[in-house]
């Protein structure tokens, strides 16, 4: 029975006195009180709680591992098609990274001011009340996070299946079966143990960074061989359409999505007031540099026209640059996508858990496993919806909807930061992001 393995997060269990130093507490005030905006947090020793087992390295791995998915390896053609030139495409890659960093720093202040899990849900609740938070919890739980995991798992399945079949190609049925199996695997990992989930994330992130290094090293080698002809006339054929530039940003921001995932697991981060900002300052510049260098490497092998016409840029790069070890690239793509799916599901379960704890979702989704201390019902619930989306075959239609809707809520959370600078000026802010006084919204910044 469900009640034999999971209990509500506020259930009194005085016998559960796990004294592992990796657990909750640290030097943070995490309970409900005057010092924090945290909502309904359990405390170590008298209730079941989500242990603080995510350190700085795991935090960096969670951000990097969810940001670097299949996009940079598979098809970075969108920006080049919309911008028309490699110069403008590189500018937009860099600007999207800068925008993600600024957004993440705003989230760092929000996450250290309110150390409860749930990210946008918790911040919208604090700034605007229950209605916006309620709407976000349902949209995110039923559409945003499941569609994100489904898209990533379908990408993983596509390249995993194609690596095992002949030139006739793979069937959609086989791809969907592999995608569903991958969802079941990462669901089991996330339900079984936080340490296992973060360990898998750390390993997969390291593997994908090795793959990025291989691609960049191959590009550097080609540059030393004199393959620089594709770097001339950077801004030739640059689009004059602002609409194309806007949609190019749209594609770039999709590639960077995942920069906010650490805020979904704030209750499980060791010393969040220090580790959240540190993880952001390390991970997002690292991803931005990786994206730019990988695109440089592609251009040492292929012309801009070839990149535009190629649906699997990284695979073509591997064949031309790596020769007998070209298999490293397809393997890297599968590892990258599976790691990204694991990190996304890890964060999604915590959002569902936090919203149900407030009564905005079904109460059973606020339960945590009595021994594993993982939000098992919320993880399983997300996985069921994700499997339904994979089976329905309508994932492609959700990609644009996901990006558009997600950034509406990202912007709402940043607006919440400005509002709370005015409405809650006395709440402690262990980390405080800088907003210039001459900014159009500078009047909301406390003096």
């Amino acid at each position: 029975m469900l009640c034999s393995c999971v209990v509500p997060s506020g259930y009194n269990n005085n016998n559960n006195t796990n004294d592992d130093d990796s657990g909750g507490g640290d030097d943070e005030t995490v309970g409900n009180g005057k010092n924090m905006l945290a909502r309904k947090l359990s405390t170590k020793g008298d209730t079941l709680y989500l242990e603080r087992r995510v350190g700085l390295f795991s935090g960096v791995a969670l951000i990097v591992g969810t940001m670097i998915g299949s996009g940079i390896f598979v098809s970075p053609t969108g920006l080049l098609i919309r911008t028309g030139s490699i110069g403008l495409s590189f500018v937009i890659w860099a600007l999207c990274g800068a925008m993600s960093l600024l957004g993440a720093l705003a989230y760092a202040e929000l996450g250290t001011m309110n150390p409860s899990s749930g990210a946008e849900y918790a911040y919208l609740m604090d700034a605007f009340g229950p209605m916006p938070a309620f709407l976000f919890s349902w949209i995110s739980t039923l559409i945003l996070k499941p569609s994100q995991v489904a898209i990533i798992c379908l990408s993983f399945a596509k390249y995993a299946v194609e690596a095992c079949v002949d030139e006739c190609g793979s069937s959609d049925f086989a791809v969907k079966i592999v995608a569903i199996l991958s969802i079941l695997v990462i669901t089991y990992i996330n339900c079984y143990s936080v340490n296992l989930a973060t360990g898998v994330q750390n390993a997969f992130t390291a593997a994908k960074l090795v793959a990025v290094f291989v691609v960049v090293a191959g590009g550097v080698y080609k540059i030393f061989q004199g393959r620089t002809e594709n770097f001339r006339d950077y801004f030739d054929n640059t689009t004059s359409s602002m609409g194309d530039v806007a949609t190019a940003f749209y594609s770039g921001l999709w590639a960077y999505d995942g920069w906010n995932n650490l805020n979904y697991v704030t209750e499980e981060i060791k010393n969040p007031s220090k580790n959240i900002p540190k993880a952001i300052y390390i991970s997002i510049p690292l991803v931005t540099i990786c994206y730019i260098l990988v695109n440089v490497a592609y251009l040492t092998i292929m012309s801009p026209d070839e990149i535009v016409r190629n649906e699997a840029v990284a695979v073509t790069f591997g064949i031309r640059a790596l020769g007998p070890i070209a298999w490293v690239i397809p393997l890297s793509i599968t590892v990258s996508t599976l790691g990204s799916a694991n990190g996304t599901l890890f964060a999604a379960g915590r959002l569902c858990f936090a919203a149900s704890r407030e009564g905005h979702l079904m109460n059973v989704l606020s339960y945590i496993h009595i021994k594993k201390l993982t939000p098992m019902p919320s993880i399983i619930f997300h996985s069921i919806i994700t499997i339904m989306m994979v089976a329905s075959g309508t994932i492609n239609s959700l990609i644009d909807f996901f990006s558009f809707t997600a950034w509406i809520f990202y912007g709402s959370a940043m607006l919440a930061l400005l509002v709370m600078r005015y409405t809650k000026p006395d709440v402690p802010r262990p980390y405080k992001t800088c907003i210039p006084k001459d900014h159009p919204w500078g009047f909301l910044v406390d003096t």
Side-chain angles (χ1 to χ4, degrees), residues 75-84 88-89 91-93 95-96 99 239-256 399-400 403-404 407:
S75 184
T77 61
L79 279 173
L80 197 54
I81 291 173
R82 291 177 172 89
T83 58
L88 184 56
S89 69
V91 169
I92 291 181
W93 276 115
L95 289 177
C96 288
M99 289 177 63
T239 182
S240 58
S241 169
M242 293 305 296
D244 287 340
V245 173
T247 54
F249 271 102
Y250 197 70
S251 298
L253 291 173
W254 161 256
Y256 281 96
I399 293 178
D400 289 343
S403 296
F404 177 78
W407 273 93

Side-chain angles (χ1 to χ4, degrees), residues 133-206:
F134 173 81
L135 293 174
F136 171 77
S137 65
W138 278 97
I139 292 174
S140 182
T141 299
L142 296 178
I143 298 176
L144 291 182
K145 288 299 180 184
S147 66
Q148 188 177 15
V149 178
I151 293 164
I152 296 169
C153 287
L154 282 171
S155 299
F156 160 79
K158 180 177 184 294
Y159 286 87
V161 171
E162 287 186 354
C164 302
V165 299
D166 57 22
E167 63 275 7
C168 294
S170 58
S171 68
D172 290 340
F173 179 77
V175 169
K176 289 183 179 182
I177 291 297
V178 173
I180 291 172
L181 290 176
S182 68
I183 294 168
L184 295 176
V185 169
I186 62 174
T187 299
Y188 174 79
I189 290 171
N190 280 272
C191 288
Y192 183 79
S193 168
V194 172
N195 288 339
L196 178 60
T198 56
V200 168
Q201 192 67 25
N202 294 348
F204 281 13
T205 299

Side-chain angles (χ1 to χ4, degrees), residues 93-377:
W93 276 115
L95 289 177
C96 288
M99 289 177 63
S100 299
L101 177 60
L102 294 175
L105 292 176
Y107 272 52
E109 177 175 333
L110 291 165
T112 55
M113 184 170 62
N114 182 344
S116 56
S117 295
E120 293 90 355
Y121 173 81
Y123 314 144
L124 293 174
M125 175 75 79
D126 290 332
F128 306 117
M131 182 56 70
F134 173 81
L135 293 174
F136 171 77
S137 65
W138 278 97
I139 292 174
S140 182
T141 299
L142 296 178
I143 298 176
L144 291 182
K145 288 299 180 184
S147 66
Q148 188 177 15
V149 178
I151 293 164
I152 296 169
C153 287
L154 282 171
S155 299
F156 160 79
K158 180 177 184 294
Y159 286 87
V161 171
E162 287 186 354
C164 302
V165 299
D166 57 22
E167 63 275 7
C168 294
S170 58
S171 68
D172 290 340
F173 179 77
V175 169
K176 289 183 179 182
I177 291 297
V178 173
I180 291 172
L181 290 176
S182 68
I183 294 168
L184 295 176
V185 169
I186 62 174
T187 299
Y188 174 79
I189 290 171
N190 280 272
C191 288
Y192 183 79
S193 168
V194 172
N195 288 339
L196 178 60
T198 56
V200 168
Q201 192 67 25
N202 294 348
F204 281 13
T205 299
K208 69 177 65 179
L209 288 178
V210 169
V212 169
F213 175 79
V214 169
V215 172
V216 172
V220 171
Y221 177 72
K222 291 297 181 181
I223 288 176
F224 280 122
Q225 287 185 327
R227 298 291 299 273
T228 59
E229 61 273 11
N230 293 325
F231 295 97
R232 300 167 187 163
D233 303 321
Y234 297 110
F235 290 96
D236 278 3
N237 301 316
T238 297
T239 182
S240 58
S241 169
M242 293 305 296
D244 287 340
V245 173
T247 54
F249 271 102
Y250 197 70
S251 298
L253 291 173
W254 161 256
Y256 281 96
D257 194 76
W259 52 263
N260 62 327
N261 273 353
L262 194 61
N263 288 66
Y264 287 100
V265 298
T266 308
E267 290 179 39
E268 296 168 83
I269 301 173
K270 301 174 185 177
N271 199 359
S273 64
K274 295 181 180 178
N275 283 336
I276 291 178
K278 284 181 180 179
I280 289 169
Y281 278 118
I282 294 171
S283 57
I284 297 180
L286 175 63
V287 171
T288 304
I289 292 170
C290 287
Y291 280 2
I292 292 174
L293 292 180
V294 168
N295 277 278
V296 169
Y298 292 155
L299 286 165
T300 65
I301 298 294
M302 292 170 282
S303 68
D305 288 339
E306 287 180 302
I307 293 177
V308 167
R309 295 193 302 267
N310 202 316
E311 294 184 354
V313 177
V315 174
T316 303
F317 174 89
I319 293 171
R320 296 186 183 180
L322 304 181
I325 61 169
W327 55 268
V328 169
I329 298 300
L331 177 63
S332 301
I333 293 171
T334 57
V335 170
S336 177
T337 50
L338 193 60
S340 183
N342 179 73
T344 303
L345 184 62
F346 185 88
R350 274 64 184 176
L351 167 62
C352 187
F353 164 80
S356 59
R357 188 171 54 185
E358 290 285 345
H360 286 172
L361 294 171
M362 294 168 287
N363 185 56
V364 69
L365 300 181
S366 68
Y367 288 16
I368 60 177
H369 195 282
I370 197 168
K371 293 182 180 179
K372 305 297 183 182
L373 299 180
T374 58
M376 183 180 292

